[in-house]
Amino acid sequence: MPVEGTQTGDERGDLAAEYALGVLDLAGRLEAQRRIAIDPEFATEVASWEETLHPMAEACGEETPPPHLRRAVEERLFGASARQGGFWHSLGAWRSMALACLALLVVSAGLNARSYLLQEEVGARLIVSLEPQGGEVRFLALYEPGRSEFRLSQVSGSPGAGRDFELWLVEGGNPPVSLGVLPKQGVAEIDLPPLLARRVKEGATLAISDEPAGGSPTGKVTGPVVAAGSARPI
Amino acid sequence: MGDGGNVVGTAAEIAELVSRVALGDRAAFSVLYERTSGKLFAICLRILKDRAEAEDALQEVYVRIWRRAGGYRDGQYSAMSWLIAIARNHSIDRLRARQPLSDDIDAAGTIPDSAPNPEASAVAAGEMGRIESCLGELPPQRAEAVMAAYVEGYSYAELAERFAIPLNTMRTWLHRSLKSLRECLEHSGLRS
């Protein structure tokens, strides 16, 4: 158990409420933050208090920040160092694993392996390491431009009973486009219609959401995104 | 109110934007900034009471929003409450790190709009209306203390001094007030 057993539920609830209200001193806040990181129940209690109290923020009104702030934020996130920054920071770390998985994928593709290896630069082949978004669902996708086909390999995590994973293509400000529901296990092959295939390029984002069995009933992402990553040439 | 460029969108819109930001969607991030930065900046400013520092804080808040968006789960809690928590927690952390503060309490009180009783300026509509009416059921000073803590980011020690009561009494006040507040909100149907 991550949290000392000496603490009663009441004390724990009080600490969560005090943290959400904001009245703790620095030491108290650091302690609460440490617990949030290791104790999901405590973290949920804090989030629940934050939800309860947040209408009070109305009292602050609104104040437009100076325009240069927005540029500063975007510069920090997507500026010169965008390649290593933020969202993709851990992609590099996964890269070696991604390549190892790719080798497996190619081998497991059996007869197709030969054509993969022979198919030199038809256009850049792309690899997408779909990283977990809070859970343990991880996929690796390989895009073969000559075939307009994504091959997905499940690295870890599977959908719960009565649920399916659905694959989405996300580009810029457009709504995500469904690329199809993934099979429960193994390697998935997803053929793209030419119009969609043209939109798959370096930097395109793939995401997997958890949906009701058979896929999203609305054509839009309805469940949480469980894994996501961006396409890179290999 | 409607054409200020910083209008907070509907809850569903904000939740969708956050989910798209979680997918690394920069355009969605830009729209999210447009819709929410006015509100989050006001929160930082109110807590930090220093424009330059509030600007620094807001930058950091949006960097965190981009990086942590994957951790937001739609459906559990509202996206706006998630965003507000990031802004408040970061601002309060900065405020506490600025210690010692005890000498600044009076100075803070001279800044316009920062006196206790901020609820007077609140819009009596929607969720704020409900929480306001529940605050109204508390003894007035306690309601004031809850609002001052939330809106101004005052610590227990600062509240105790402002309200001229012992720190432990303030602690008891707030514990009881928060419990009553939650019960009242549950009865009024805000929380399911």
Side-chain angles (χ1 to χ4, degrees):
Chain A
M1 293 297 283
V3 172
E4 296 74 31
T6 52
Q7 205 191 23
T8 66
D10 250 15
E11 282 166 349
R12 176 200 182 106
D14 283 345
L15 183 68
E18 287 171 325
Y19 179 74
L21 184 62
V23 287
L24 296 172
D25 61 15
L26 191 60
R29 289 186 64 76
L30 292 174
E31 170 60 15
Q33 286 164 5
R34 187 186 69 84
R35 286 190 190 202
I36 288 170
I38 59 170
D39 181 354
E41 228 177 281
F42 180 74
T44 303
E45 182 69 13
V46 169
S48 162
W49 274 111
E50 284 167 345
E51 175 80 10
T52 299
L53 299 174
H54 89 277
M56 284 196 281
E58 288 282 330
C60 297
E62 294 208 13
E63 176 97 19
T64 307
H68 70 83
L69 264 189
R70 180 198 196 122
R71 286 194 299 276
V73 170
E74 290 182 346
E75 179 77 12
R76 237 179 105 183
L77 287 172
F78 320 126
S81 62
R83 278 191 189 173
Q84 289 154 359
F87 192 65
W88 307 119
H89 194 251
S90 52
L91 196 57
W94 285 110
R95 218 162 177 202
S96 49
M97 189 192 119
L99 289 174
C101 291
L102 177 67
L104 275 177
L105 186 68
V106 169
V107 168
S108 70
L111 290 173
N112 290 334
R114 197 181 188 83
S115 58
Y116 279 126
L117 296 171
L118 291 175
Q119 199 168 26
E120 292 285 313
E121 301 294 320
V122 177
R125 272 183 297 177
L126 300 171
I127 187 165
V128 189
S129 172
L130 290 109
E131 299 174 60
Q133 304 291 303
E136 52 169 25
V137 179
R138 176 174 290 131
F139 274 74
L140 193 76
L142 180 72
Y143 182 67
E144 201 63 48
R147 297 159 168 257
S148 302
E149 175 190 78
F150 262 117
R151 295 172 64 80
L152 268 94
S153 154
Q154 187 176 21
V155 180
S156 63
S158 28
R163 309 288 298 174
D164 270 322
F165 286 156
E166 188 161 355
L167 181 69
W168 305 84
L169 173 66
V170 187
E171 336 148 79
N174 302 324
V177 180
S178 173
L179 299 183
V181 173
L182 301 178
K184 294 271 185 209
Q185 287 183 332
V187 174
E189 295 185 356
I190 294 189
D191 286 316
L192 300 190
L195 264 179
L196 265 183
R198 243 181 281 150
R199 289 155 65 172
V200 176
K201 44 192 160 237
E202 185 181 355
T205 297
L206 284 190
I208 292 173
S209 67
D210 182 72
E211 301 289 346
S216 162
T218 63
K220 294 165 79 174
V221 177
T222 66
V225 169
V226 292
S230 119
R232 297 184 157 234
I234 52 167
Chain B
M1 225 170 101
D3 53 3
N6 271 307
V7 179
V8 174
T10 67
E13 273 168 7
I14 302 294
E16 185 177 330
L17 287 169
V18 172
S19 304
R20 280 166 54 192
V21 168
L23 300 180
D25 182 339
R26 291 182 191 181
F29 182 69
S30 181
V31 177
L32 184 69
Y33 184 95
E34 237 163 65
R35 296 278 171 82
T36 58
S37 58
K39 191 166 188 56
L40 300 191
F41 187 50
I43 289 169
C44 297
L45 202 53
R46 191 67 174 260
I47 290 171
L48 291 163
K49 307 192 193 312
D50 176 294
R51 229 179 155 83
E53 199 176 356
E55 289 179 9
D56 277 359
L58 191 72
Q59 262 193 54
E60 184 58 34
V61 164
Y62 277 94
V63 166
R64 289 181 184 195
I65 289 169
W66 172 262
R67 293 188 174 153
R68 295 182 186 173
Y72 168 71
R73 288 284 170 272
D74 194 4
Q76 245 178 319
Y77 301 107
S78 75
M80 207 56 223
S81 118
W82 183 78
L83 296 168
I84 288 171
I86 292 178
R88 286 189 70 248
N89 284 327
H90 181 61
S91 300
I92 294 171
D93 283 345
R94 275 177 177 250
L95 188 64
R96 296 288 180 271
R98 244 194 227 165
Q99 305 297 339
L101 250 190
S102 49
D103 293 341
D104 294 345
I105 293 173
D106 291 337
T110 64
I111 292 176
D113 278 358
S114 71
N117 204 23
E119 67 269 32
S121 65
V123 186
E127 292 186 357
M128 182 59 196
R130 253 172 293 188
I131 206 164
E132 236 185 345
S133 78
C134 286
L135 280 167
E137 291 183 11
L138 299 174
Q141 275 211 312
R142 298 190 187 191
E144 232 172 65
V146 170
M147 279 300 278
Y150 189 88
V151 174
E152 316 283 349
Y154 292 142
S155 67
Y156 270 138
E158 290 168 297
L159 288 167
E161 191 168 333
R162 291 182 81 86
F163 287 83
I165 57 169
L167 197 141
N168 276 335
T169 310
M170 179 53 78
R171 192 170 271 142
T172 310
W173 270 24
L174 289 184
H175 285 173
R176 290 191 185 152
S177 301
L178 288 176
K179 283 198 178 99
S180 314
L181 199 57
R182 185 173 250 186
E183 278 164 21
C184 172
L185 288 169
E186 273 162 7
H187 285 139
S188 74
L190 177 61
R191 302 176 49 80
S192 47

